[in-house]
Amino acid sequence: MRFPVLFLGALLILAVNAYPWGGEGHRAIAWAVRTQLSPEARAKIEKILGNDDLAAEAGWLDDVRIARRRHSGPLKDDPEAQEFNNRFSKNDVWHYIDLPVGSATYAESSPLASKDDIVHAIDHAIDVLEGRASDLTERQALRVLIHLVGDAHQPLHAAAGYYDLSDSAHPKLVSDPAIAATKPHDRGGNQLFYDGALQLHALWDDVMVMDLIRATPHQSLASQLRAEADNQNWMTPGDYHHWAEKWIEDSAAQAVEVYRGIVFGAATIGPKDTIERIEITLPEGYVEKQLPRAKTQLAKAAAHLAQLLNSIRFQ
């Protein structure tokens, strides 16, 4: 893969600062949802937010952690963000779970699950909106839900590669989930680097989204997502209080294809046998082949968020 020098520079920045689906992806998901709300859901949302502009709230949870991590961003001096970070010091990990690539199910009893993982965070936000919990405001809970349903559909926020590093020059991706859970992992592709300093996770978080936007400049990404969702039957069956588990399982299944064909080079091992980085080579035409998957996952996120907001029994 070859990139212009300026684009390389942008990717280097993304490797450090990327967040799931980037701001543009999250806003597109929220805009696509806006037209799919039932009158009842819209009225409840307008009561909580003062309007139905879900897109304006879509990046709040990322801005909160940027304020804590780097003391920067639009919320760096915001009292609500500071108080939120003080009360929920682990909100960083709400955005993902690292299921092994190839894992078939999310199990609450698994050692990989925790009360702070993305499934629990989504479920808790629903509890707040339905009056079973009160440690978040309704506005905060809605912001959390808008953002994390999007995150749940990014494959590298559902799964990670786990490796046999007995030969660090030739790491092997472990495909058996039972064995994988005992091995070091790549933090959802955050430790996988191609072309020197470009990060697989950042490629999925931001570059894919921007490529989708550039591919159809005459049509907004939100309208593309609505059109794709209209042509599919992505309604989630069963009790909506357990939908997050199903979405994570589907995203983890997509991660198998995200990793397919990647060639793993030398691994750099950190303290306690953690992975600092693994050099990788992407298969020829990787981005072009994966763009439809990225678009589908974004469209699924919009469809599922709309379905969830229309199902919640707001208090």
Side-chain angles (χ1 to χ4, degrees):
M1 298 172 63
R2 293 181 175 85
F3 301 94
V5 172
L6 289 177
F7 191 44
L8 274 172
L11 285 176
L12 289 169
I13 294 171
L14 290 174
V16 176
N17 297 324
Y19 287 103
W21 290 137
E24 293 298 330
H26 276 294
R27 282 189 289 274
I29 291 168
W31 273 110
V33 166
R34 195 177 188 182
T35 61
Q36 306 303 313
L37 295 174
S38 68
E40 295 77 14
R42 187 182 304 280
K44 291 292 187 179
I45 289 167
E46 288 178 347
K47 181 180 178 182
I48 293 171
L49 300 180
N51 55 56
D52 66 349
D53 189 0
L54 301 179
E57 308 293 342
W60 182 82
L61 197 59
D62 274 346
D63 290 337
V64 164
R65 65 173 177 172
I66 291 171
R68 182 170 66 85
R69 275 184 174 183
R70 300 198 289 272
H71 306 289
S72 62
L75 300 181
K76 68 183 181 68
D77 298 317
D78 181 72
E80 181 187 12
Q82 292 171 358
E83 194 271 339
F84 187 91
N85 279 322
N86 288 337
R87 276 194 301 132
F88 303 105
S89 60
K90 293 185 177 180
N91 70 74
D92 263 15
V93 302
W94 292 4
H95 298 252
Y96 64 90
I97 182 170
D98 289 322
L99 297 179
V101 172
S103 177
T105 58
Y106 172 92
E108 191 163 348
S109 59
S110 165
L112 299 174
S114 81
K115 63 181 180 63
D116 290 306
D117 68 32
I118 189 170
V119 172
H120 285 81
I122 290 173
D123 291 348
H124 186 69
I126 296 171
D127 284 343
V128 172
L129 291 171
E130 294 190 328
R132 289 184 298 277
S134 58
D135 53 345
L136 299 172
T137 68
E138 288 183 307
R139 187 184 188 99
Q140 289 170 345
L142 187 55
R143 287 162 163 169
V144 167
L145 209 57
I146 294 166
H147 190 85
L148 293 187
V149 172
D151 286 0
H153 291 77
Q154 208 277 50
L156 296 181
H157 279 258
Y162 288 70
Y163 300 86
D164 178 350
L165 297 177
S166 53
D167 178 2
S168 62
H170 301 92
K172 295 180 181 179
L173 186 67
V174 178
S175 58
D176 184 340
I179 299 174
T182 66
K183 303 294 185 181
H185 64 84
D186 60 24
R187 296 177 57 241
N190 274 290
Q191 310 309 100
L192 301 183
F193 291 86
Y194 64 97
D195 289 355
L198 309 182
Q199 186 190 54
L200 184 69
H201 193 102
L203 175 65
W204 274 86
D205 271 355
D206 287 276
V207 178
M208 293 281 196
V209 174
M210 297 311 297
D211 279 356
L212 287 171
I213 291 171
R214 281 191 293 269
T216 315
H218 63 282
Q219 184 181 24
S220 73
L221 182 56
S223 62
Q224 294 180 56
L225 302 185
R226 283 198 303 270
E228 180 147 345
D230 287 345
N231 292 325
Q232 302 292 337
N233 181 20
W234 285 327
M235 295 298 97
T236 313
D239 181 357
Y240 63 90
H241 297 95
H242 299 287
W243 284 352
E245 299 170 23
K246 298 178 185 294
W247 300 335
I248 284 295
E249 290 173 356
D250 178 70
S251 291
Q254 299 301 319
V256 174
E257 299 304 319
V258 171
Y259 279 78
R260 191 177 302 280
I262 292 176
V263 177
F264 301 97
T268 302
I269 312 302
K272 299 182 180 180
D273 292 329
T274 57
I275 296 172
E276 289 190 355
R277 64 185 289 133
I278 295 177
E279 310 299 334
I280 64 171
T281 302
L282 298 179
E284 186 70 27
Y286 179 86
V287 172
E288 292 78 7
K289 291 176 183 177
Q290 295 291 346
L291 274 177
R293 189 180 316 283
K295 185 177 180 180
T296 294
Q297 290 305 109
L298 286 161
K300 283 181 182 177
H304 291 156
L305 179 56
Q307 187 189 10
L308 180 59
L309 292 174
N310 288 336
S311 300
I312 288 174
R313 299 183 182 92
F314 290 88
Q315 63 175 333

